[in-house]
């Protein structure tokens, strides 16, 4: 058995698979996000660890025989989170997350100091990345900054709790701005520019490498044998790719999780920072990928359902689908947590435009679904401009449960989309596969197989045409409001 752990933003997910990649058991433990100030987003690392313990405890209760057969653990997690440990190896403060927007000015300072950083780091300097957060901390929390012994990413904090090893791997390190993507090594100039030293960063490995073994007391807790290995793992985008077999050049997928991504695997490093794309190292050696990143995805639907006091999202979507006969008269800008591709604007916010006295719940939710699809279409244009293209992307993540939403995205983007078996398993499944690769040393292409396609959803060309004027208006609306989002 192979255990995958994904430290997400909304939950920690643990998933156990067998040697045939069949899921044997899975569990989710929810997490909450703190926003102590506007544009801030934080979580306590201790909450990740307690949720991880709870998730694996739940797997043990579900199937103690299977959990006892675990031979390897793979890790995945939300990227970019600045997890800071002091001299006692305890967290100094809550981790600053991927959707935190406080460090925009620090991005400008980093660009002035290192004008070519985007080419080396594979992405334009953005406040959600780890590096500008540390410059912010140096300015605004200098006493705390001086106490930093180690900087870890979220999944790597869980690694430390599991085995005591301070290690990260290429795909997650890619999101710090401290990695030289082409050489797959730390960029000393970028680290120096943040007032840091190399000994504050973890060791770098590949995602399919062994980083250590599970503490004996934890192995005893879960009835596992000795020498359960832990793999490097990957950032959630890369492990999502491992899970759906997006490892060869041109393989790709759309993720509809808390955030959204359009991911295309690449056979070499192809930086396109001016297109606001992420060109990052993959979680397996000598592989890279290009990605359009949207900070908002299925979380927009969850937010709208909560706002409208709709506890049953499935029933809500069925009602929306039943009344959907044309593009909504309401436009929704889905930028609840700012945006990366194609705007790089942490200050952007959500907008309902065109509400009338006849607007109802179903119309508002339809516009929410359309808004996310418009944002994906906007981001897709940047990938196409950079020459990145996937013939048949699959859709993964929680939003993939809705066939109606996938059809709507296909109609708006004008792109055929695949529905996979088990599409909602996501990064935890890919992490488990990386655990297997670390243990068995098999070839990635023999393990990272594509899921069975349940259905290919073709775009309705008439609907695609009907949505183009609305898409143009969506882009004009953002352009008209973009200056208004900036705080005074």
């Amino acid at each position: 058995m192979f255990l995958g752990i994904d430290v997400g933003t909304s939950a920690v997910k643990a998933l156990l698979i067998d040697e045939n990649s069949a899921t044997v058991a899975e569990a989710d433990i929810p997490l909450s996000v703190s926003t102590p100030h506007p544009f801030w987003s934080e979580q306590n690392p201790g909450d990740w660890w307690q949720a991880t313990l709870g998730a694996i405890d739940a797997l043990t209760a579900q199937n103690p025989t299977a959990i006892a057969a675990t031979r390897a653990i793979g890790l995945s997690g939300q990227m970019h989170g600045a997890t800071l440990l002091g001299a006692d190896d305890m967290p100094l403060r809550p981790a600053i997350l991927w959707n935190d927007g406080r460090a925009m000015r620090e991005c400008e300072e980093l660009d002035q100091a290192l004008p070519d950083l985007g080419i080396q780091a594979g992405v334009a300097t953005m406040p959600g990345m780890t590096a500008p957060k540390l410059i912010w901390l140096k300015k605004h929390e200098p006493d705390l900054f001086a106490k930093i012994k180690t900087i870890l990413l979220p999944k790597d904090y869980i690694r430390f709790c599991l085995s005591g090893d301070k290690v990260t791997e290429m795909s997650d390190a890619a999101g710090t701005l401290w990695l030289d993507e082409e050489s797959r090594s730390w960029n000393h100039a970028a680290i120096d520019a943040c007032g840091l030293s190399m000994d504050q960063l973890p060791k770098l490995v590949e995602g399919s490498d062994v980083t250590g073994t599970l503490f004996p007391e934890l192995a005893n807790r879960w009835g596992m044998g000795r020498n359960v290995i832990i793999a490097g793992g990957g950032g959630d985008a890369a492990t999502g790719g491992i899970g759906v077999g997006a490892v060869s050049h041109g393989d790709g997928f759309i993720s509809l999780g808390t955030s959204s991504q359009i991911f295309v695997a690449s056979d070499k490093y192809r930086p396109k920072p001016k297109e606001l794309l992420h060109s990052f190292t993959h979680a397996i050696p000598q592989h890279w990928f290009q990605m359009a990143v949207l900070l908002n995805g299925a979380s927009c639907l969850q937010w709208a359902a909560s706002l409208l006091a709709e506890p049953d999202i499935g029933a809500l979507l069925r009602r929306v689908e039943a009344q959907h006969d044309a593009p909504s008269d309401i436009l929704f800008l889905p930028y609840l947590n700012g945006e990366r591709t194609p705007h790089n604007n942490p200050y952007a916010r959500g907008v309902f435009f065109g509400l009338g006295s006849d607007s109802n719940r179903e119309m508002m939710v339809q516009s929410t679904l359309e808004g996310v699809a418009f944002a994906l279409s906007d981001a897709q244009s940047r990938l196409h401009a950079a020459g990145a293209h996937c013939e048949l992307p699959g859709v993964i993540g929680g939003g993939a449960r809705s066939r109606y939403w996938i059809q709507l995205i296909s109609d708006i983007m004008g792109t055929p989309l695949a529905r996979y078996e088990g599409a909602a398993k996501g990064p935890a499944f890919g992490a488990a596969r990386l655990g297997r690769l670390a243990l068995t040393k098999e070839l990635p292409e023999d393990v990272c197989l594509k899921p069975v396609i349940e259905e290919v959803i073709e775009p309705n060309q008439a609907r695609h045409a009907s949505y183009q004027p609305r898409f143009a208006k969506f882009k004009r609306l953002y352009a008209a409001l973009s200056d208004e989002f900036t705080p005074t």
Side-chain angles (χ1 to χ4, degrees):
M1 298 291 167
F2 308 99
L3 174 61
I5 302 168
D6 177 40
V7 185
T9 311
S10 58
V12 169
K13 180 166 188 168
L15 181 145
L16 197 65
I17 65 173
D18 64 17
E19 65 273 15
N20 298 313
S21 289
T23 301
V24 176
E26 55 187 305
D28 293 56
I29 303 294
L31 296 167
S32 59
V33 175
S34 172
T35 53
H37 300 285
F39 309 111
W40 288 31
S41 181
E42 301 182 343
Q43 284 179 325
N44 286 312
D47 292 345
W48 302 333
W49 178 233
Q50 291 306 311
T52 300
L53 292 173
I56 305 176
D57 286 347
L59 295 186
T60 305
Q62 286 178 42
N63 198 328
T65 303
I67 203 77
T70 301
R71 294 293 175 266
I73 298 172
L75 300 172
S76 172
Q78 51 172 299
M79 297 176 68
H80 318 300
T83 310
L84 314 172
L85 306 187
D88 58 358
D89 287 331
M90 296 296 291
L92 291 167
R93 71 179 316 285
I96 307 176
L97 302 189
W98 54 273
N99 55 354
D100 189 284
R102 75 184 74 178
M104 195 66 179
R105 290 178 181 173
E106 287 70 26
C107 290
E108 296 168 1
E109 294 171 13
L110 198 51
D111 283 336
Q112 289 173 0
L114 299 171
D116 296 328
L117 182 60
I119 295 296
Q120 298 166 338
V123 66
T125 309
M126 298 178 179
M129 307 294 169
T130 320
K133 296 168 186 172
L134 270 294
I135 299 175
W136 186 94
L137 285 164
K138 185 179 180 181
K139 276 199 253 176
H140 297 277
E141 299 180 13
D143 292 344
L144 182 144
F145 183 87
K147 296 176 182 177
I148 297 171
K149 176 185 175 184
T150 309
I151 303 165
L152 295 176
L153 294 157
K155 79 171 193 319
D156 300 317
Y157 177 72
I158 297 305
R159 182 195 321 280
F160 176 69
C161 293
L162 290 169
S163 68
D165 297 296
K166 294 178 179 178
V167 179
T168 193
E169 48 65 54
M170 303 299 171
S171 69
D172 215 358
T176 63
L177 296 177
W178 293 322
L179 188 74
D180 184 289
E181 304 285 346
E182 190 163 27
S183 67
R184 301 172 88 97
S185 62
W186 289 127
N187 181 339
H188 290 226
I191 294 163
D192 290 344
C194 297
L196 300 169
S197 60
M198 285 292 298
D199 60 5
Q200 292 173 289
L201 297 184
K203 176 185 173 184
L204 269 175
V205 301
E206 296 287 350
S208 53
D209 287 343
V210 177
T211 64
T213 56
L214 184 65
F215 282 133
E217 57 268 31
L218 292 174
N220 291 338
R221 173 176 178 148
W222 298 312
M224 298 178 185
R226 300 292 177 178
N227 298 319
V228 175
I229 68 160
I230 298 174
D236 53 4
T239 51
I242 296 292
V244 298
V247 294
S248 297
H249 184 73
D251 291 340
F253 65 89
I254 294 172
S255 175
L256 271 180
T258 302
S259 58
S260 300
Q261 299 94 34
I262 309 176
F263 177 111
V264 182
S266 179
D267 57 357
K268 63 182 181 180
Y269 179 50
R270 293 178 166 88
K272 296 290 183 181
K274 291 183 179 179
E275 296 293 343
L276 297 176
L277 298 177
H278 300 52
S279 300
F280 284 169
T281 49
H282 211 325
I284 49 177
Q286 299 307 307
H287 288 69
W288 287 261
F289 62 88
Q290 291 177 293
M291 181 172 62
V293 174
L294 295 79
L295 296 181
N296 309 274
S299 54
C300 292
L301 174 59
Q302 295 170 328
W303 168 81
S306 176
L307 191 70
L308 298 169
E310 293 278 358
D312 189 335
I313 291 180
L316 174 62
L317 288 174
R318 287 190 289 274
R319 295 196 334 252
V320 173
E321 184 177 9
Q323 62 86 51
H324 183 158
D325 59 2
S328 174
D329 290 333
I330 304 168
L331 277 173
F332 176 65
L333 298 186
Y335 308 129
L336 300 175
N337 293 297
E339 192 52 294
R340 287 195 195 165
T341 311
H343 301 307
N344 191 18
N345 185 354
Y347 306 128
R349 284 297 178 262
V351 174
F352 280 113
F353 178 81
L355 293 169
S357 59
D358 60 340
S359 299
N360 58 32
R361 294 165 183 260
E362 291 76 21
M363 294 164 65
M364 293 179 70
V365 173
Q366 179 184 329
S367 73
T368 300
L369 302 177
E370 291 172 348
V372 173
F374 285 143
L376 285 166
S377 189
D378 211 4
Q380 178 185 238
S381 67
R382 293 300 181 98
L383 280 165
H384 288 175
H389 182 70
C390 174
E391 288 297 327
L392 183 63
V395 184
I396 68 170
R401 295 186 179 97
S402 171
R403 187 196 184 282
Y404 162 61
W405 198 2
I406 297 175
Q407 180 69 66
L408 184 58
I409 293 168
S410 176
D411 292 343
I412 288 175
M413 293 178 69
T415 302
L417 300 174
R419 294 190 76 204
Y420 290 141
E421 283 186 4
K425 288 188 291 189
F429 182 70
R433 280 183 161 178
L434 287 167
R436 173 176 172 170
L437 288 172
L439 181 74
T440 66
K441 308 305 179 186
E442 295 168 275
L443 294 174
E445 55 266 30
D446 293 337
V447 173
C448 303
L449 305 176
K450 292 179 173 58
V452 173
I453 294 177
E454 287 185 346
E455 179 186 11
V456 175
I457 295 179
E458 298 285 348
N460 180 311
Q461 294 302 329
R463 274 197 171 182
H464 178 66
S466 72
Y467 270 111
Q468 295 318 293
R470 300 296 293 170
F471 181 35
K473 190 171 184 178
F474 171 89
K475 291 189 285 186
R476 291 197 303 271
L477 181 61
Y478 172 80
L481 294 176
S482 59
D483 288 343
E484 303 302 326
F485 291 130
T486 304
T488 55

